[in-house]
Amino acid sequence: MRLSELSEASGVSTATIKYYLREGLLPPGHRVHATRASYDASHLRRLRLVRALIQVGKVPVATAREILAAVDDESLGLTMRLGAALWSLPRPPAGPDEEDEAAREAAAEVDRMLVEVGWERVRELGPLSPVHRSLVTSVATLRRLGYPCDAAELVPYARQMAGVAAHELDQLEQHPEEVERVESAVAAAVLYEPVLLDLHRLAQEEESQRRYGLAGQEGGATEADPAP
């Protein structure tokens, strides 16, 4: 397809597409002649990912370029490509202060949780993973504010998220090409995490109403409910 057709198919202006091309976020088109290039489905797919990163995820252009470099690095295996791309996504800037008592306690609780759920592979990475550091920081913050958060609290959440992760990877495996799988994983991290958060809150609303009802009575009864 021509640049104008790529613009129409994606909903992105030709000026923005040219900007993404200049910034190295979108691979060059296939050269037809000196002044014309053609684009295919891989360009459309990549353009959608770039929009997800920049417009939805608010990822800076330089960071988006780093993420896409990991996506395209064929020297890495699938797990390493996924890890490198996802680790490049923006996270809280500061890691836990190892000298801080709450941080040390949080790290110990996170480690106990990893042992309990059998996540030995991510446990081996430990602080090398920005996701691990972010979790320790979050748990430490909870503890400082007086909200106990230990391994026993984390384990049920971790086990539920293991099911979510298995479902997501099942979805990824429907894509025939490895690069498509990595692109899909990065897009899901940006676009689906807000969906998961909303589902979590809806589940809380549903469970609360099931247990206590709208007016707070146990068993879900409300004043408007008919008598049995």
Side-chain angles (χ1 to χ4, degrees), residues 114-181:
L114 294 175
V115 172
E116 177 68 22
V117 297
W119 289 1
E120 292 298 327
R121 295 171 183 82
V122 293
R123 184 169 180 250
E124 289 175 5
L125 289 173
L128 293 176
S129 165
V131 183
H132 181 281
R133 295 197 301 270
S134 178
L135 176 59
V136 170
T137 298
S138 298
V139 173
T141 299
L142 284 168
R143 296 176 74 87
R144 288 191 201 98
L145 295 175
Y147 294 92
C149 184
D150 57 17
E153 291 285 338
L154 295 171
V155 164
Y157 289 103
R159 286 179 172 155
Q160 292 294 325
M161 295 312 297
V164 172
H167 171 73
E168 289 176 337
L169 292 182
D170 286 343
Q171 296 296 109
L172 295 186
E173 289 173 1
Q174 297 179 17
H175 297 288
E177 300 294 331
E178 193 167 281
V179 66
E180 293 182 55
R181 296 180 183 181

Side-chain angles (χ1 to χ4, degrees), residues 95-111:
D97 181 357
E98 295 180 358
E99 300 302 318
D100 179 75
E101 182 179 357
R104 291 196 301 270
E105 293 173 351
E109 294 300 332
V110 168
D111 190 65

Side-chain angles (χ1 to χ4, degrees), residues 75 113 129:
S75 69
M113 178 272 292
S129 165

